[in-house]
Amino acid sequence: MTRQHALHEHHSKPHSPDSSYVCNTCGKNFRRNCSLKAHQSAHPINRNVCRVCGKSYVSKVRYRKHQILHSAHAILLLEYMSRNPDLGTN
C-alpha cells in the first residue's frame, strides 16, 4: 500500500470508533482494509484444529506440542481415577 493510498483511505473514513471491515472467519473488526488483510493471513485454510478444545494453530509443531498437553492431561486423569475408583460412581 502506498503512502498516498493510505492517506486517501484515512481521509475518506469518518473518525469514529465504528469499524467497517470485518473478518469473515472470526468476526474481528478493523478500521482499515489493509489491517483486515494482514489479519486474515493468520486464517489460512489448512489450519491444524484441536479436536479436543477447538484451538487452532498455523504451525504444525505448535499444534503437536498442544496435543501432547492433552495427552499428558488424559494420562494424569486416568492415573488419578485409578487411585480413586469411587469418584467414577454415583
Side-chain angles (χ1 to χ4, degrees):
M1 177 192 303
T2 66
R3 184 181 176 127
Q4 185 176 9
H5 178 73
L7 182 62
H8 173 73
E9 184 177 329
H10 173 78
H11 284 286
S12 65
K13 297 271 181 207
H15 287 223
S16 69
D18 297 335
S19 301
S20 59
Y21 299 101
V22 180
C23 177
N24 292 332
T25 305
C26 69
K28 188 171 182 179
N29 295 312
F30 297 89
R31 289 184 182 182
R32 296 172 44 203
N33 189 35
C34 63
S35 299
L36 170 63
K37 297 293 181 192
H39 166 80
Q40 285 177 327
S41 67
H43 292 300
I45 295 170
N46 297 328
R47 284 193 83 107
N48 301 291
V49 180
C50 177
R51 293 180 182 173
V52 177
C53 68
K55 193 168 184 180
S56 61
Y57 294 87
V58 175
S59 164
K60 281 189 177 185
V61 172
R62 288 185 179 175
Y63 170 71
R64 288 181 182 146
K65 285 182 180 180
H66 173 79
Q67 291 300 302
I68 290 170
L69 291 176
H70 282 302
S71 299
H73 177 40
I75 290 168
L76 290 172
L77 182 60
L78 288 172
E79 287 177 5
Y80 181 79
M81 294 298 286
S82 68
R83 291 184 201 147
N84 301 290
D86 293 336
L87 293 176
T89 60
N90 289 330

